[in-house]
Amino acid sequence: MIALPRLLSLDEIMEKFSFLDDYSEGCHPTILEALARTNMSQQTAYGADDFSIRARELIRAHLGHADSNIFFVAGGTLANLTIIASLLRPHEAIISAATGHIVSRETGAVEAVGHKILTVDKPCGKLAPEDVLSVLAQNAQAPHMVKPRLVYLSNATETGRIYTKSDLTDLAQVCRSHDLLLMVDGARLGAALCAADNDLTLADLAELTDVFWIGGTKAGALIGEAIVINRPEFAKDFAFHVKQRGALLAKGRLFGLQFQILFETDLFFNASRYANDLASKLSKGIVANGFALASQTQTNQIFPMLPNHLVKSLEADFKFYVWEPHGEDHATLRLVTSWATPEAQVDRFIAALSKRV
Amino acid sequence: MIALPRLLSLDEIMEKFSFLDDYSEGCHPTILEALARTNMSQQTAYGADDFSIRARELIRAHLGHADSNIFFVAGGTLANLTIIASLLRPHEAIISAATGHIVSRETGAVEAVGHKILTVDKPCGKLAPEDVLSVLAQNAQAPHMVKPRLVYLSNATETGRIYTKSDLTDLAQVCRSHDLLLMVDGARLGAALCAADNDLTLADLAELTDVFWIGGTKAGALIGEAIVINRPEFAKDFAFHVKQRGALLAKGRLFGLQFQILFETDLFFNASRYANDLASKLSKGIVANGFALASQTQTNQIFPMLPNHLVKSLEADFKFYVWEPHGEDHATLRLVTSWATPEAQVDRFIAALSKRV
Amino acid sequence: MIALPRLLSLDEIMEKFSFLDDYSEGCHPTILEALARTNMSQQTAYGADDFSIRARELIRAHLGHADSNIFFVAGGTLANLTIIASLLRPHEAIISAATGHIVSRETGAVEAVGHKILTVDKPCGKLAPEDVLSVLAQNAQAPHMVKPRLVYLSNATETGRIYTKSDLTDLAQVCRSHDLLLMVDGARLGAALCAADNDLTLADLAELTDVFWIGGTKAGALIGEAIVINRPEFAKDFAFHVKQRGALLAKGRLFGLQFQILFETDLFFNASRYANDLASKLSKGIVANGFALASQTQTNQIFPMLPNHLVKSLEADFKFYVWEPHGEDHATLRLVTSWATPEAQVDRFIAALSKRV
Amino acid sequence: MIALPRLLSLDEIMEKFSFLDDYSEGCHPTILEALARTNMSQQTAYGADDFSIRARELIRAHLGHADSNIFFVAGGTLANLTIIASLLRPHEAIISAATGHIVSRETGAVEAVGHKILTVDKPCGKLAPEDVLSVLAQNAQAPHMVKPRLVYLSNATETGRIYTKSDLTDLAQVCRSHDLLLMVDGARLGAALCAADNDLTLADLAELTDVFWIGGTKAGALIGEAIVINRPEFAKDFAFHVKQRGALLAKGRLFGLQFQILFETDLFFNASRYANDLASKLSKGIVANGFALASQTQTNQIFPMLPNHLVKSLEADFKFYVWEPHGEDHATLRLVTSWATPEAQVDRFIAALSKRV
């Protein structure tokens, strides 16, 4: 069932294993090996290297969309702010769920490039067409109000939910009929596309969105996200924006090579699926031990609700976030798995539950 | 004389060797080996990893300045724009040589965060105290003119010149007496500090500047620059600015580990000195063959003036920039060496000169 | 009871009288007369004219705060964006009620100068200390979240409510103890200070806030707002910001003279009180005719709830905003009075109610 | 020869007459009278008043360009920054003469909205097609350099020179063939269009530029500039930008009425011509007294070079700027005339020259 081999034995890892996030380790060994193999090859700078060219071809092969252009940047906030600064004029605004990463986890990066975010309260983090229409209705008093122009989604959402093909098609349609652009933040796009109930593909994203990005950092890369721009008029000058925001890397080969490796084989998908599978195993183990989950996440983040005394004892062996209190004597935890999580640690966590109830 | 071993044999490299820049290869093998060794260690994200902590200690040991704080970002433009956005209020401006990297090679990144750059024409790229005073005198009509507040230097400059300790002391003094901040762009700080006629140290920079940064990308790293902030009031909230500009890396370990390796031994200095030494050997070989240099650079960039027919024949075997025409039938080239340049390629270039005149 | 004379006879005005807003007419006749009288006097430009100097003295006499500096700008949005751009550094954010004018009626002006607004849902538009504390608690994850730094209030609020001295003292205290700045948008400050249940003075505002502004446009002036900065460190470079945002008027005499006239006598207060008194008369007349008010506003805006058929017939003789539907067959209106509203029009409106029920 | 009546007798004015600038007085009496006449008329806010509608019609009648849209704002810096922020995307830059008002007299307002200005040294302040081509050539290294996109001219220039129809046609042609926009800052457009050797019309400006603005402040208005946008795609959302930058006046009637009066008769042109004629008389008187002019300005600014002792004695009776020293014992002055300058003051100045040599 689980595609990747266990990477380290229990002896090799730190005693207190971390389920804090999906970026605690370095990169997938295949990438590391490729970095070593190609290290002394002289390459053209600023993204015109052989690896970046090849990586773009490989990604484009998934898109089935000849017009898409691909740019690599170091991280998610840099991707979001560069995309938004390039797409919008000063009076144009973004529509986002209030849980959106750009709203509350990027230190006002979007406002710092000049744009307002109009938010919708949606605990699941998923925007629906009626949310978009409602924001349009509430912001119609031109020119005293900003002009909503871009719908921002995260897939998977910040709480681990995914958009189906039907969800995204409906949103794309409302965007097109109201002259709105659609972008998808794909920090955890791998997890979303490899979720059990996913029916969306990269080709769908290319078809339905104006811009989306594919997170590398959380899918086995050391660093890097691939921005996919599906409309030539937005791609035309995009390189200027990448450079202006400080996102143009001299040694662009670092990004190119990683995405080449991720997409030359199915590593991107396998690594993401591996993380999801372990999360699913963890979920089932938790439920089997009689505990509930705060929400039915579909990807590599799970939110079990455990009694406080058990949380305390688990903290001796594991690291995780205590997300919020749940009632008087329980707490909701966040546990995150990744391509690098040894299955043995999942087993060990489940065993710890059964022992300590 | 030359500290580092030749890294590759001639057979192993591409036939057409590139002297285009100092970022055509990956990273120093020692760094690569450390990446592999530490890859699966779980580390705290966002720069609180063990390697970043250690790297900061190692750099601070060079500074002799307990107050300095150190932050790592991916590249030079990101370093410059983040520093400047954090230091200045909207009406405050920068004083720079017209050749400054922020002026004409960063796609208006500084203006994009809201600040005007007041420039001084200096072909050598080195600002002197009288240049600063002259800008102050010309921009005194408050509030109709911006308020000069920050002096920006590059060391080495964009044309390969360096600041001596006396140069920098004089500038620091004029800054302090006119309530100006002083920052140094250190994209090629390694080359500057290892130049034959350099007498400046990292400790001097910590003493004399408010902020400077140490370029890793051109000194053996794959990616990364270390920003050193020498005044606590500017360091206090700097992490917010790093995050807001998209420069906070999830896997900050990548920066930390590289700078740990660069400063644990003297790799940072040795790699830079190696590049300078090869540039010096190349200079001497060119002059010995009867050609002149456009300027007496002191670091790893050299600017020979060669006849056009020779340039043409050299282009069969080497890559380099034809910088500008020189008279009717000559051209000025730019040749750059690095930690990765095989000495054999330098010898081969010099031999090509003697054969083809 | 009502201080100002009726300005025009019913015959002189347009048949369809407008209660749309408090800026439909020009300026108070006393100001017009002063403009004519001083027109050809040569005055120093950019706010150093005799009138501006005198106006500042007159306002300062109300403040009892030797440190306050006063600047004049053309309008409210310009005042807000200039103040905020001058007070905050890029990573710092504003706390405001969701109804705040800067949130939804200024086309993203604050975001366009780079700052995020953190909002609190308060239908009355009045922030309380616990609202501020709640925003602080929700935005504590440095450096991933912006740093709340400025509390923005409107007095009167956008829905016509006022802050008492005790309200403002409590807010000032929570600001001081949490290193937050406090600013008050005074677009309708005259109406607030002249409300029947007001106990706040300009001197209190100078004491309790860092910056506030006094709206001239809605209190009898043709154009202009007076920004009062109560801390010298924020006033020091403020003129640069005024100029940079395009708010420095060549003929600053226009602002200066109007504020001189408004504060030389008690015109500012009398004009505001007159508007409030007419609003109160209107309220009473509405209630006396058996209709309810949606909220108990305290200033010159009132929100009656009337049956739709009556609204329709009123529209033949009056202009006003239909604010929102109320149930199936009623609507809430907004009616605004001003220094220029003839009392006869208020009487006529009340008469129309009694006739048409 | 001189169209307007002398406005005040010598007895009525201050003893020390000011030639400092063309904005020392209020507004033309005809405007003042219209303000009084219309004061109590209720008007729709935010520029939809009857006067603004009429003023737009009157200006449009001069343009012969059905597509032009007209917006009013308070001052020149606000006009420039709003226009530029609305026209450019973040990576696009402006080409201007180094003497341009936006370069050194607007406190970095253009950079504060995010754009770099690429300057050309031209002492006369007039850009020529070859200047534009030269900036393009020097800024061609995409994406490391900004993309020049907008040519900014001032007519009259900051040193009093004007563009002929041929000058502007040549510039428009180079702009069109290089996908550049063309804007004209018309702070002193009245003076330019009424210069003796002018052959340019408002219709030419509408034909040749994308955007230009007509300065009201220096042509008899109390406040206000009219922005003329000649391309519908730039006018479409312009109102949002006006509001976002704080330039949308509640009582837009103030702008509308003034421009209605300026263009209902030929007041705009007559007032400007009157100023030019007096400047010409002053020039001739200076030359007739044996003194030279630093430059042959064509509008209402003149730059005589006088001996220092004479300058000193003139300062007893007049105010003016000592522009710069000229040799050891002379200085260049700047004298500015306006619609409000009494001819008797010009005569008095000339007489003072002859008496005191």
Side-chain angles (χ1 to χ4, degrees):
Chain A
M1 161 190 119
I2 285 165
L4 298 195
R6 199 167 354 103
L7 297 164
L8 287 181
S9 76
L10 264 181
D11 295 354
E12 294 166 299
I13 56 153
M14 55 198 316
E15 226 178 308
K16 201 163 173 172
F17 185 80
S18 167
F19 287 105
L20 283 171
D21 55 51
D22 36 12
Y23 36 83
S24 287
E25 290 86 0
C27 61
H28 195 276
T30 317
I31 287 176
L32 208 52
E33 187 273 328
L35 284 172
R37 195 175 62 240
T38 62
N39 189 54
M40 294 309 294
S41 142
Q42 287 194 312
Q43 291 291 330
T44 307
Y46 300 117
D49 59 281
D50 298 339
F51 315 130
S52 294
I53 291 166
R54 178 76 181 129
R56 288 188 196 102
E57 285 170 5
L58 290 165
I59 293 172
R60 218 178 272 119
H62 281 273
L63 305 180
H65 199 278
D67 279 347
S68 295
N69 279 275
I70 296 156
F71 300 82
F72 303 109
V73 303
T77 300
L78 205 45
N80 285 331
L81 77 87
T82 305
I83 291 167
I84 288 170
S86 82
L87 292 182
L88 299 189
R89 297 181 61 209
H91 63 300
E92 295 177 340
I94 300 124
I95 301 174
S96 170
T99 51
H101 205 259
I102 56 168
V103 176
S104 60
R105 306 291 306 179
E106 300 190 356
T107 320
V110 166
E111 289 85 359
V113 297
H115 301 286
K116 182 186 266 297
I117 310 172
L118 302 163
T119 59
V120 183
D121 281 329
K122 301 283 285 193
C124 67
K126 285 179 63 180
L127 280 186
E130 57 270 24
D131 300 320
V132 172
L133 294 174
S134 151
V135 172
L136 289 179
Q138 286 156 27
N139 289 274
Q141 267 184 284
H144 297 267
M145 295 176 167
V146 286
K147 185 175 174 178
R149 172 74 171 135
L150 172 69
V151 172
Y152 164 95
L153 312 177
S154 306
N155 192 31
T157 70
E158 292 72 13
T159 49
R161 302 296 300 273
I162 67 166
Y163 285 86
T164 63
K165 183 166 178 177
S166 154
D167 292 336
L168 199 65
T169 304
D170 292 350
L171 278 164
Q173 201 169 325
V174 83
C175 287
R176 277 164 200 185
S177 60
H178 291 82
D179 197 25
L180 297 170
L181 302 173
L182 180 57
M183 80 171 270
V184 171
D185 173 330
R188 289 195 176 94
L189 187 59
L193 297 185
C194 296
D197 37 6
N198 173 66
D199 64 352
L200 202 63
T201 65
L202 288 172
D204 296 330
L205 283 158
E207 178 65 29
L208 297 170
T209 74
D210 296 287
V211 180
F212 72 97
W213 57 270
I214 305 171
T217 303
K218 289 161 186 159
L222 203 45
I223 181 175
E225 331 287 332
I227 298 172
V228 182
I229 304 189
N230 302 310
R231 282 170 53 178
E233 67 270 33
F234 295 130
K236 186 171 161 281
D237 279 359
F238 193 72
F240 287 96
H241 296 272
V242 171
K243 176 63 188 167
Q244 183 178 71
R245 303 302 169 179
L248 189 64
L249 206 60
K251 297 181 182 174
R253 64 193 292 151
L254 171 59
F255 297 148
L257 184 66
Q258 292 182 98
F259 275 94
Q260 178 180 341
I261 299 301
L262 285 173
F263 283 93
E264 197 119 74
T265 63
D266 275 338
L267 178 57
F268 175 76
F269 299 101
N270 291 339
S272 302
R273 193 173 298 115
Y274 174 86
N276 285 354
D277 287 348
L278 283 194
S280 170
K281 187 174 191 183
L282 201 46
S283 285
K284 286 174 189 152
I286 289 164
V287 171
N289 276 285
F291 302 108
L293 300 172
S295 71
Q296 205 54 48
T297 58
Q298 302 163 290
T299 56
N300 65 324
Q301 304 187 65
I302 63 172
F303 299 88
M305 297 180 296
L306 303 181
N308 291 339
H309 68 89
L310 176 55
V311 171
K312 197 147 216 167
S313 84
L314 287 168
E315 281 176 337
D317 290 330
F318 301 98
K319 289 186 193 171
F320 45 77
Y321 284 107
V322 178
W323 212 239
E324 49 186 8
H326 178 68
E328 293 256 318
D329 50 6
H330 280 65
T332 302
L333 312 189
R334 188 184 82 159
L335 303 174
V336 187
T337 57
S338 84
W339 60 270
T341 309
E343 189 169 359
Q345 291 290 357
V346 169
D347 297 336
R348 188 171 154 240
F349 190 93
I350 295 169
L353 290 181
S354 56
K355 262 186 299 184
R356 281 147 174 168
V357 184
Chain B
M1 163 193 117
I2 286 165
L4 299 194
R6 198 167 356 101
L7 297 165
L8 286 182
S9 75
L10 263 181
D11 296 353
E12 293 166 298
I13 57 154
M14 54 198 317
E15 225 177 308
K16 201 162 171 175
F17 186 81
S18 168
F19 286 106
L20 283 171
D21 55 51
D22 35 13
Y23 36 83
S24 288
E25 291 87 0
C27 62
H28 195 277
T30 317
I31 287 175
L32 209 52
E33 188 273 328
L35 284 172
R37 196 176 60 242
T38 61
N39 190 54
M40 293 309 294
S41 141
Q42 287 195 311
Q43 291 290 331
T44 306
Y46 300 118
D49 59 281
D50 297 341
F51 315 130
S52 293
I53 291 165
R54 177 76 181 128
R56 289 190 195 101
E57 284 169 5
L58 290 166
I59 294 173
R60 216 177 272 120
H62 281 273
L63 305 180
H65 198 278
D67 279 347
S68 295
N69 279 274
I70 296 157
F71 300 83
F72 303 108
V73 301
T77 299
L78 205 45
N80 285 331
L81 76 86
T82 305
I83 292 166
I84 288 170
S86 82
L87 292 181
L88 299 189
R89 296 180 61 206
H91 64 301
E92 295 178 339
I94 300 124
I95 301 174
S96 169
T99 51
H101 205 262
I102 55 167
V103 176
S104 59
R105 307 290 307 178
E106 299 189 356
T107 319
V110 166
E111 289 85 359
V113 296
H115 300 286
K116 183 186 264 297
I117 310 172
L118 302 163
T119 60
V120 183
D121 281 330
K122 300 284 286 193
C124 67
K126 285 178 62 179
L127 280 186
E130 56 269 25
D131 301 320
V132 173
L133 294 174
S134 152
V135 172
L136 289 179
Q138 287 157 27
N139 289 275
Q141 268 184 282
H144 298 266
M145 295 175 168
V146 287
K147 184 174 174 177
R149 173 71 170 136
L150 172 68
V151 173
Y152 165 93
L153 312 176
S154 305
N155 191 32
T157 71
E158 291 72 12
T159 50
R161 303 294 301 275
I162 66 167
Y163 285 87
T164 63
K165 181 166 180 178
S166 154
D167 291 337
L168 199 66
T169 304
D170 292 350
L171 278 164
Q173 201 169 327
V174 84
C175 286
R176 279 164 198 186
S177 60
H178 291 82
D179 197 24
L180 297 170
L181 302 173
L182 180 58
M183 79 171 270
V184 172
D185 174 329
R188 289 196 178 93
L189 188 60
L193 297 184
C194 296
D197 36 6
N198 172 67
D199 64 352
L200 202 63
T201 64
L202 288 172
D204 295 332
L205 283 158
E207 177 66 30
L208 296 171
T209 73
D210 296 288
V211 181
F212 72 98
W213 57 270
I214 304 171
T217 303
K218 289 160 185 159
L222 203 46
I223 181 175
E225 331 287 333
I227 298 172
V228 182
I229 304 189
N230 302 310
R231 282 170 54 178
E233 66 270 34
F234 295 130
K236 185 171 161 284
D237 278 0
F238 194 71
F240 287 96
H241 297 272
V242 171
K243 175 64 187 167
Q244 184 179 69
R245 303 302 170 180
L248 188 65
L249 207 59
K251 298 181 180 171
R253 63 194 291 152
L254 171 59
F255 297 149
L257 184 67
Q258 292 182 99
F259 276 93
Q260 177 180 342
I261 299 301
L262 285 173
F263 284 93
E264 195 118 75
T265 62
D266 275 338
L267 179 57
F268 175 75
F269 299 102
N270 290 341
S272 302
R273 193 173 297 112
Y274 174 86
N276 284 354
D277 287 348
L278 282 194
S280 170
K281 187 175 191 186
L282 200 48
S283 284
K284 284 176 190 150
I286 288 163
V287 171
N289 275 286
F291 303 109
L293 300 171
S295 71
Q296 206 54 50
T297 57
Q298 301 163 289
T299 55
N300 65 325
Q301 303 186 66
I302 64 172
F303 298 87
M305 297 179 297
L306 303 180
N308 291 339
H309 68 88
L310 177 54
V311 171
K312 196 145 216 169
S313 85
L314 287 167
E315 281 176 337
D317 290 331
F318 302 97
K319 288 186 192 171
F320 44 77
Y321 284 107
V322 178
W323 212 239
E324 50 185 5
H326 178 68
E328 293 257 315
D329 50 7
H330 280 66
T332 302
L333 311 188
R334 188 184 83 157
L335 303 174
V336 187
T337 57
S338 83
W339 60 271
T341 310
E343 189 168 1
Q345 290 291 357
V346 168
D347 296 337
R348 187 170 154 242
F349 190 92
I350 296 170
L353 290 180
S354 56
K355 263 186 298 184
R356 279 144 174 174
V357 184
Chain C
M1 162 193 119
I2 285 165
L4 297 197
R6 196 163 359 97
L7 296 165
L8 286 182
S9 75
L10 262 181
D11 295 353
E12 293 166 298
I13 57 154
M14 54 197 319
E15 227 177 305
K16 202 162 171 174
F17 185 81
S18 168
F19 287 104
L20 283 171
D21 55 51
D22 35 14
Y23 36 83
S24 287
E25 291 85 1
C27 61
H28 195 276
T30 317
I31 287 175
L32 207 53
E33 188 273 328
L35 284 172
R37 195 175 61 239
T38 61
N39 189 53
M40 294 307 295
S41 142
Q42 287 195 310
Q43 291 290 331
T44 306
Y46 300 118
D49 59 281
D50 297 339
F51 315 130
S52 294
I53 291 166
R54 177 76 182 131
R56 289 189 195 101
E57 285 169 5
L58 289 166
I59 294 172
R60 217 178 271 118
H62 281 273
L63 306 180
H65 198 277
D67 279 348
S68 296
N69 279 275
I70 296 157
F71 300 83
F72 304 108
V73 303
T77 300
L78 205 45
N80 285 331
L81 77 86
T82 304
I83 292 167
I84 289 170
S86 83
L87 292 181
L88 300 189
R89 296 181 63 208
H91 63 301
E92 295 177 339
I94 299 124
I95 301 174
S96 169
T99 51
H101 205 260
I102 56 168
V103 175
S104 60
R105 306 290 307 178
E106 300 190 356
T107 319
V110 166
E111 290 84 359
V113 297
H115 302 284
K116 184 186 264 297
I117 309 172
L118 302 163
T119 59
V120 184
D121 281 330
K122 300 284 285 193
C124 67
K126 284 179 62 180
L127 281 185
E130 56 270 25
D131 300 319
V132 172
L133 294 174
S134 151
V135 172
L136 289 179
Q138 287 157 26
N139 288 275
Q141 267 184 284
H144 297 267
M145 294 175 170
V146 286
K147 184 175 175 177
R149 172 72 170 138
L150 172 68
V151 172
Y152 164 94
L153 311 177
S154 306
N155 192 31
T157 71
E158 292 72 12
T159 48
R161 303 294 302 273
I162 67 167
Y163 285 86
T164 63
K165 182 165 179 178
S166 155
D167 291 336
L168 199 65
T169 303
D170 291 350
L171 279 164
Q173 201 169 327
V174 84
C175 286
R176 278 166 198 183
S177 61
H178 292 82
D179 197 24
L180 297 170
L181 302 173
L182 179 58
M183 79 173 269
V184 172
D185 174 330
R188 290 197 176 91
L189 188 59
L193 297 185
C194 296
D197 37 5
N198 173 68
D199 64 352
L200 202 63
T201 65
L202 289 172
D204 295 331
L205 284 158
E207 178 65 29
L208 296 170
T209 74
D210 296 288
V211 181
F212 71 98
W213 57 270
I214 304 171
T217 302
K218 288 161 186 157
L222 203 46
I223 180 175
E225 330 287 332
I227 298 172
V228 182
I229 304 188
N230 302 310
R231 282 169 54 178
E233 66 270 33
F234 294 131
K236 186 171 161 283
D237 279 359
F238 193 73
F240 287 96
H241 297 272
V242 170
K243 175 65 188 163
Q244 184 178 69
R245 303 302 169 180
L248 189 64
L249 206 60
K251 297 181 181 172
R253 64 192 292 151
L254 171 59
F255 298 149
L257 183 67
Q258 292 182 98
F259 276 94
Q260 178 179 341
I261 299 302
L262 285 173
F263 283 93
E264 198 120 71
T265 61
D266 274 338
L267 178 57
F268 175 76
F269 299 103
N270 289 340
S272 301
R273 193 172 299 114
Y274 174 87
N276 285 354
D277 286 349
L278 283 194
S280 171
K281 185 174 192 186
L282 201 46
S283 285
K284 285 175 190 152
I286 289 163
V287 171
N289 276 286
F291 302 109
L293 301 172
S295 71
Q296 206 53 50
T297 57
Q298 302 163 290
T299 55
N300 64 324
Q301 304 187 65
I302 63 172
F303 299 87
M305 297 179 297
L306 304 180
N308 291 340
H309 67 90
L310 177 55
V311 171
K312 199 148 213 166
S313 84
L314 287 168
E315 280 176 337
D317 290 331
F318 301 97
K319 290 186 192 171
F320 44 77
Y321 284 108
V322 178
W323 212 240
E324 49 185 8
H326 178 68
E328 293 257 317
D329 49 7
H330 281 64
T332 302
L333 312 190
R334 187 185 81 159
L335 302 174
V336 188
T337 56
S338 83
W339 59 271
T341 308
E343 190 170 359
Q345 291 291 356
V346 169
D347 296 338
R348 189 171 153 237
F349 190 93
I350 295 170
L353 290 181
S354 54
K355 264 186 296 185
R356 280 144 175 172
V357 184
Chain D
M1 164 192 117
I2 285 165
L4 298 195
R6 197 163 1 100
L7 296 164
L8 286 182
S9 76
L10 263 181
D11 294 354
E12 294 167 299
I13 57 155
M14 56 199 314
E15 224 177 309
K16 203 161 170 175
F17 186 80
S18 168
F19 287 106
L20 282 172
D21 54 52
D22 35 13
Y23 37 82
S24 288
E25 290 86 1
C27 62
H28 194 277
T30 317
I31 288 176
L32 208 52
E33 187 273 330
L35 285 172
R37 196 175 59 241
T38 61
N39 190 54
M40 294 307 295
S41 141
Q42 287 195 311
Q43 292 290 330
T44 306
Y46 301 118
D49 59 282
D50 298 339
F51 315 129
S52 294
I53 290 166
R54 177 74 182 133
R56 288 189 195 100
E57 284 170 5
L58 289 166
I59 294 173
R60 216 177 273 119
H62 280 274
L63 305 179
H65 199 276
D67 280 348
S68 295
N69 279 274
I70 296 157
F71 300 83
F72 303 108
V73 302
T77 299
L78 204 46
N80 285 331
L81 75 86
T82 304
I83 292 167
I84 288 170
S86 81
L87 292 182
L88 300 188
R89 295 181 61 208
H91 63 301
E92 296 178 337
I94 300 124
I95 302 175
S96 169
T99 51
H101 205 261
I102 56 167
V103 176
S104 60
R105 307 290 307 179
E106 300 189 356
T107 319
V110 167
E111 290 85 358
V113 296
H115 301 285
K116 183 186 265 296
I117 310 172
L118 303 163
T119 60
V120 184
D121 282 329
K122 301 283 286 193
C124 67
K126 285 180 61 180
L127 281 185
E130 57 269 24
D131 301 321
V132 172
L133 294 174
S134 151
V135 172
L136 289 179
Q138 287 157 28
N139 288 276
Q141 267 184 283
H144 297 267
M145 294 174 169
V146 285
K147 184 174 176 178
R149 172 72 170 137
L150 173 68
V151 172
Y152 164 94
L153 311 177
S154 306
N155 191 32
T157 71
E158 291 72 12
T159 50
R161 302 295 300 275
I162 67 166
Y163 285 87
T164 64
K165 181 165 181 179
S166 154
D167 291 337
L168 198 65
T169 304
D170 292 351
L171 278 164
Q173 201 170 326
V174 83
C175 286
R176 278 164 198 186
S177 59
H178 290 82
D179 197 24
L180 297 171
L181 302 172
L182 180 58
M183 79 171 270
V184 172
D185 174 329
R188 290 196 178 92
L189 188 59
L193 296 185
C194 296
D197 37 5
N198 173 68
D199 64 352
L200 203 63
T201 64
L202 288 172
D204 295 332
L205 284 158
E207 178 65 31
L208 296 170
T209 73
D210 296 289
V211 181
F212 72 97
W213 56 272
I214 304 171
T217 303
K218 288 160 186 158
L222 203 47
I223 181 175
E225 331 287 331
I227 298 172
V228 182
I229 304 188
N230 301 309
R231 282 170 54 178
E233 67 269 35
F234 295 131
K236 186 171 161 282
D237 279 0
F238 194 72
F240 287 96
H241 297 272
V242 170
K243 176 63 187 167
Q244 185 178 69
R245 303 303 168 179
L248 188 64
L249 206 59
K251 298 182 181 171
R253 64 194 290 150
L254 172 60
F255 297 149
L257 183 67
Q258 292 182 99
F259 275 94
Q260 178 180 341
I261 299 301
L262 285 173
F263 283 93
E264 197 120 72
T265 62
D266 274 339
L267 178 58
F268 176 75
F269 299 102
N270 289 341
S272 301
R273 193 172 299 115
Y274 174 87
N276 285 354
D277 287 348
L278 283 194
S280 170
K281 186 174 192 187
L282 201 47
S283 284
K284 285 175 190 152
I286 289 163
V287 172
N289 275 285
F291 303 109
L293 301 171
S295 71
Q296 206 54 50
T297 56
Q298 302 164 288
T299 55
N300 65 324
Q301 303 187 65
I302 64 172
F303 298 87
M305 297 179 296
L306 303 180
N308 291 338
H309 66 90
L310 177 54
V311 171
K312 197 147 215 166
S313 83
L314 287 167
E315 281 175 336
D317 291 331
F318 301 98
K319 289 186 192 171
F320 44 76
Y321 284 108
V322 178
W323 211 240
E324 48 187 6
H326 179 67
E328 293 257 315
D329 49 8
H330 280 64
T332 301
L333 312 189
R334 187 184 82 158
L335 303 175
V336 187
T337 57
S338 83
W339 60 271
T341 311
E343 190 170 359
Q345 291 290 357
V346 169
D347 295 337
R348 187 170 154 240
F349 190 93
I350 297 170
L353 290 180
S354 55
K355 263 185 297 185
R356 279 141 174 175
V357 183

